[in-house]
Amino acid sequence: MSDVGLSAELVAVVLAVDDGHPWVLAAGEPPALPAGPLRVEEESLQAGVREFAREHSGFDLGYVEQLYTFADLGRSSDDRRMVSISYLGLTRAQIAGSVRPTDWSALYDLLPWEDRRHLDASGADRLGEEIERALRRWSIGSEERLDRCRFLFAYDERPWRPDLALQRYELLWEARLVAESPSAGSISALTAGPMLHDHRRILATGLSRIRAKLQYRPVIFELMPETFTLLALQETVEAIAGQHVHKQNFRRAVEVQHELVEPTGEVSHETGGRPAKLYRFRGSVREERAQVGTKLPLPR
Amino acid sequence: MSDVGLSAELVAVVLAVDDGHPWVLAAGEPPALPAGPLRVEEESLQAGVREFAREHSGFDLGYVEQLYTFADLGRSSDDRRMVSISYLGLTRAQIAGSVRPTDWSALYDLLPWEDRRHLDASGADRLGEEIERALRRWSIGSEERLDRCRFLFAYDERPWRPDLALQRYELLWEARLVAESPSAGSISALTAGPMLHDHRRILATGLSRIRAKLQYRPVIFELMPETFTLLALQETVEAIAGQHVHKQNFRRAVEVQHELVEPTGEVSHETGGRPAKLYRFRGSVREERAQVGTKLPLPR
DNA sequence: ACGGTTAATGCTCATCTTGAGTAAATGCTG
DNA sequence: CAGCATTTACTCAAGATGAGCATTAACCGT
C-alpha cells in the first residue's frame, strides 16, 4: 500500500433554499466550497461532513449523501495525490438573517445557465443565446459535437433535462466556455471568474444529483421549514430544478402521494390572495424507508 | 493534511452475463472482489480500474462507473484508515470458455435472495420463505422494522423493487442474517459464508446501481455481444434484474426506442423454434450522449 | 409429406399517467 | 361591495404500461 504522497479531504456541497432563492455554501476569492482534511479520528465520513458543515455554517444538515471521489492526478498544484471525497448536504438555513450570510453564494451566480425559470414568460435570454452561438461555432465540422450540444442544451425542439447539469458543465469546459477551462476563451461573463480547483465541477455534480433524486425521492423536504404552503413547496422545487412546473399538476402529484404531506389545519395569509392551507410532511416521510418510492414531479 | 495512517485502494465490481447467467469477478476463500492499492502514477482512477480489470480477468471493461467510497474506521483489521474507492465495470466476457473461469463467481450465489426468476412459475421458494419467517420474527414489537421489511422484501402484496438490493442487504445485515453480521445468527445457508471485509456490501451496491441505471439508460448493451436476438437481450436484462419481464412488452419497448437497435438482416437458428432476427446496437447508442434518455423496461 | 413442438412476431384492450387548460372558491383591499 | 390575487377543484386528450390472444415460421421425428 503506497501511501506516500497521498492525502484526503472532504468537500461539501451544502444547499439551502430561502424563499425561492437557492444558495450554496461557498465563499472566498476565488470562491471555494468548504473543504477540509479527513481527520483520522472520525468514525464515519458522513458524521465528519455534518460536523464540518456545522462549524462552517452554523446550520445542521438534514440530509447528507456522498457524491463522488475525485482522485485524478493534476488536480492540485503540488505533486501529491489529493483524494477529494465530496458530499451533498441539504439544510433549512435561512440565509438572509443568518450569522454569516456572506458564507453563501447564490447558486445560479455560479452556474447561471442552469436557471431557466425566467424563460417561459418573456423570452429574452441573452446568456442562453450567447452560449448557443458559441457552442454552434464550436460544433462546426463535427456532427457529434453538434448532437451533444443539441441534446444537453435542448436546441432544435429537444426537451431540457435539468438533471444533466454535470454533463452541461463538462461540455462547456471542453468548449472552453467556463473560466476553469484550460486556456479559456471566456465568453462574456458566463461564469464571472474561476472557482477554486475543480469546485465548480463538484458543484455541478451536486446539482445534477439532487435534480435527479428529486424525480424519485422527496428530498426537498430537507429544504423546507416545519410547515409550508403548497406554493412554497413548489417554489422550492422550482428553485432546485431551475424550471417552472405546472401548478395544478404539481398539487395533484403531491396529493396523490398520500403519505407525503398532511394539512396542519392552519392557513397562511402571507400571499395576498386566497389564504393557503399550511402543510407539514408526514412523519413517515422523515424515515428513510418511506422516502424511497415517493416522489415529486420534475418537468421534462 | 494528516496522511499518516491513510491508505487507498480500488475495489471493482465487474459483471458479465453469459447466456442468461450473471457472473461477478470474485474468487478466493473467503471470496473477495478484485482490489488493489491506488498507484501513485495512475493518471485517472477510471483508467486504473480498467487496467486492473484487464490484468485480473483478461477482459476489457466496456463501461466503468464509480460506485462509492468507503472510508469508515474499523473496516479493516489493522489500525490505519483504509479508503476504498469502488467501481462498477461491465464486460462482454464469456465465462465458460475463458482463460481462468474460476476467477468468476455466480452473482446470485453471493446474493441468493436477489434472484427471483424462478418465482412466477412453480412457487416453491424455500429461501424466500425462510427469510420472511426470520424477518418477521426480527420485527416483532417494532412496527418500523416490519414496515421496512414489507417494503424491501415485497411482503403483503407490495411490489418488489429490484434496485433496492443494497437496502435489502443492509436490512439482512442488521437482522443478523448474513454471514458478515456481527455475531451472525446465520440462517441456514443464506449466504454460504462470509466474503472478505465488506465486499458483499460493495457487491450489493453495484447490483443496486446497475439495476437502477437499467431503468433509464441502456447499459446492458455493454454486456451483449456484437449481434444478438431480442430474446438474448431480454434474458440478459432478466439476469441483471433478477426477474422475468413480459416478452411482448419488452419487444415493444425496444422497438419504440428507434435509435436503440437495428436488424442486421441475419437470423439465428440456435433456439429451435422459429428463427430469430439478429440485431445490433446502433452506433449512436455506443456514444455517451445518446445513452442518456433511452431505456429498457424493468418490471415493477 | 405431415402433424407436433418451439419460438418469434403481430395486435388488441383496459388502465394509469401526464400535460394542459377551464372554472369556481375564498379572503383581502379600497 | 366590487375587484383582485391566489388557492383549489375538475375535465380532457394523448401517451405509456401491463396483460393476454392469435398468427407465423422454422424444426423434428415419423
Side-chain angles (χ1 to χ4, degrees), chain B residues 23-69:
Chain B
W23 298 90
V24 56
L25 202 52
E29 190 48 53
L33 298 172
L38 174 60
R39 281 166 287 196
V40 191
E41 330 81 67
E42 261 148 20
E43 264 299 315
S44 90
L45 290 189
Q46 192 111 342
V49 171
R50 287 181 187 278
E51 189 182 335
F52 185 69
R54 187 164 36 238
E55 287 169 18
H56 263 259
S57 69
F59 293 109
D60 284 332
L61 297 185
Y63 178 82
V64 172
E65 168 183 334
Q66 195 180 100
L67 279 176
Y68 203 81
T69 299

Side-chain angles (χ1 to χ4, degrees), chain B residues 231 247-248 251 273 277:
Chain B
L231 181 59
K247 188 167 183 167
Q248 293 93 320
R251 307 173 137 266
K277 287 194 202 140

Side-chain angles (χ1 to χ4, degrees), chain A residues 126-300:
Chain A
R126 277 212 311 285
L127 177 66
E129 288 164 16
E130 194 169 359
I131 293 179
E132 177 161 0
R133 273 194 302 275
L135 286 181
R136 288 195 188 274
R137 205 175 317 125
W138 177 71
S139 302
I140 288 173
S142 166
E143 193 63 30
E144 193 197 316
R145 281 184 180 179
L146 185 58
D147 275 2
R148 212 166 130 221
C149 295
R150 277 203 288 243
F151 177 70
L152 292 177
F153 283 87
Y155 299 147
D156 306 331
E157 304 300 305
R158 283 179 176 68
W160 174 270
R161 299 216 8 209
D163 56 309
L164 299 180
L166 175 59
Q167 287 91 327
R168 279 188 286 271
Y169 174 80
E170 289 177 338
L171 181 72
L172 292 176
W173 187 88
E174 276 184 59
R176 302 185 174 184
L177 296 174
V178 289
E180 295 84 8
S181 306
S183 68
S186 119
I187 171 178
S188 80
L190 218 187
T191 59
M195 284 184 76
L196 187 70
H197 303 329
D198 47 4
H199 282 196
R200 205 187 312 266
R201 181 184 304 265
I202 298 176
L203 176 58
T205 305
L207 184 59
S208 263
R209 185 71 64 87
I210 190 180
R211 284 179 172 180
K213 204 120 203 171
L214 220 48
Q215 296 175 77
Y216 57 95
R217 267 180 76 166
V219 278
I220 4 71
F221 92 83
E222 299 288 356
L223 297 167
M224 302 296 299
E226 196 59 32
T227 67
F228 48 85
T229 67
L230 289 187
L231 182 59
L233 183 64
Q234 178 181 347
E235 284 171 343
T236 304
V237 166
E238 291 175 336
I240 294 297
Q243 264 191 187
H244 289 300
V245 304
H246 183 107
K247 188 168 183 168
Q248 293 90 323
N249 292 346
F250 179 82
R251 309 174 134 265
R252 176 177 59 190
V254 171
E255 280 156 15
V256 155
Q257 326 249 347
H258 70 295
E259 287 296 307
L260 193 58
V261 298
E262 62 189 3
T264 66
E266 320 257 291
V267 293
S268 160
H269 299 253
E270 307 243 322
T271 47
R274 171 173 174 175
K277 287 194 203 142
L278 283 171
Y279 291 81
R280 75 168 71 89
F281 287 98
R282 302 187 66 144
S284 55
V285 181
R286 303 188 169 260
E287 289 141 41
E288 186 72 4
R289 72 179 186 290
Q291 292 186 32
V292 192
T294 40
K295 60 175 182 177
L296 283 180
L298 254 200
R300 300 281 159 86

Side-chain angles (χ1 to χ4, degrees), chain A residues 14-201:
Chain A
V14 178
L15 298 178
V17 176
D18 194 356
D19 193 29
H21 299 282
W23 299 90
V24 56
L25 201 53
E29 191 47 54
L33 299 172
L38 174 59
R39 281 166 288 196
V40 191
E41 330 80 68
E42 261 150 18
E43 263 299 314
S44 90
L45 292 188
Q46 193 110 343
V49 171
R50 286 180 187 279
E51 189 182 336
F52 185 69
R54 186 163 37 239
E55 287 170 18
H56 263 258
S57 68
F59 292 110
D60 284 333
L61 297 185
Y63 177 82
V64 172
E65 169 184 334
Q66 195 180 99
L67 279 178
Y68 203 81
T69 299
F70 300 86
D72 299 348
L73 281 182
R75 289 187 58 247
S76 177
S77 37
D78 60 14
D79 57 345
R80 321 165 76 198
R81 178 185 287 273
M82 171 66 88
V83 176
S84 297
I85 308 175
S86 61
Y87 276 81
L88 170 67
L90 306 182
T91 181
R92 300 192 176 76
Q94 314 232 323
I95 312 303
S98 79
V99 196
R100 301 205 305 275
T102 54
D103 286 354
W104 298 83
S105 300
L107 173 61
Y108 296 126
D109 282 355
L110 299 173
L111 299 170
W113 57 88
E114 292 297 338
D115 190 1
R116 296 168 55 96
R117 284 175 295 178
H118 53 91
L119 280 201
D120 359 57
S122 53
D125 178 25
R126 277 212 311 285
L127 177 66
E129 288 164 16
E130 194 169 359
I131 293 179
E132 177 161 0
R133 273 194 302 275
L135 286 181
R136 288 195 188 274
R137 205 175 317 125
W138 177 71
S139 302
I140 288 173
S142 166
E143 193 63 30
E144 193 197 316
R145 281 184 180 179
L146 185 58
D147 275 2
R148 212 166 130 221
C149 295
R150 277 203 288 243
F151 177 70
L152 292 177
F153 283 87
Y155 299 147
D156 306 331
E157 304 300 305
R158 283 179 176 68
W160 174 270
R161 299 216 8 209
D163 56 309
L164 299 180
L166 175 59
Q167 287 91 327
R168 279 188 286 271
Y169 174 80
E170 289 177 338
L171 181 72
L172 292 176
W173 187 88
E174 276 184 59
R176 302 185 174 184
L177 296 174
V178 289
E180 295 84 8
S181 306
S183 68
S186 119
I187 171 178
S188 80
L190 218 187
T191 59
M195 284 184 76
L196 187 70
H197 303 329
D198 47 4
H199 282 196
R200 205 187 312 266
R201 181 184 304 265

